[in-house]
Amino acid sequence: MPKAIDMHVHLPTSSWLDVAIQPYRVPAEKFFRATVPTREMEEVARLYEELDILGVLLAWDAETATGLAPLTNDEVASIVRRYPKQFIGFASVDPWKGKKAIIEMERAVKALGLKGAKFHPGIQAFYPHDVHFYPLYEKISELGVPALFHTGTSGLGAGMPGGMGIKLDHTRPIWLDHVAADFPKLTIIGAHPAWPWHEEMLAIIQHKSNVFMDLSGWSPKYLPKVIVDEARGRLSDKMLFGSDYPFITPQRWLADFEAVTAAAGFSPETKVKILYDNAAGILRLV
Ligand SMILES: [Zn+2]
């Protein structure tokens, strides 16, 4: 059993950085104040092995909204097949592709062995609670895998004119509350601390047993205090480690998590829940 599960790992490959998110790459590097070198997945697999972390790799298809070629589910699946101890994969389907998206979602899980779905309502430019997309959620719920949705402001487009067309309203967590209410069997993970709507997100994970949040994309040092307090307390079963690699490395996230949780007096059990147990439950590894 690995020491931790990183719920949020992007591929630092050319297929993601130079193709699927190409125009967003440089502004995102500025936002995260880190240059992000292109790497081969072999190197990433070695890093995750050394750190004893199981990483959840995320595919990417925002083709309708961005016109950019996707990082395909097949590519993610082939990496998982090469490094089955180090990675599992979440599919991405472009919700605007309608029936094709539903068919692809089913293929990604049943034929490719991917274990969840990843959405970015900001980049994919859709409101998660629009009933137009409900047949897709119906399928994901039927497949019995979780759906991860980006929430809160985005490093992609940050600091650019018009935020490069990305509308933050799409990323509000409250829209996921509708989906969670209408699909009680669907496990939903809000990705990132959902800033500036983090209290909205905390209300949802407190109210809906089928909703969780990952803490990726922010060093734990900068998490709003209310998130740290809830993670130590009543919502310790609802929060998950995620790095948002390659923008934040798991080494940095884990080191900052150690410092923050030591200062805030987290019990060892609570830390294990956030680093491993909660995700293992969602991914049915236990
Ligand atoms: Zn991300």
Side-chain angles (χ1 to χ4, degrees), residues 2-22:
K3 189 177 75 184
I5 298 171
D6 184 342
M7 207 48 174
H8 204 111
V9 183
H10 294 289
L11 279 64
T13 52
S14 206
S15 57
W16 194 59
L17 292 168
D18 302 325
V19 180
I21 67 153
Q22 188 272 329

Side-chain angles (χ1 to χ4, degrees), residues 8 10 118 192 244:
H8 204 111
H10 294 289
K118 160 76 196 300
H192 317 301
D244 211 10

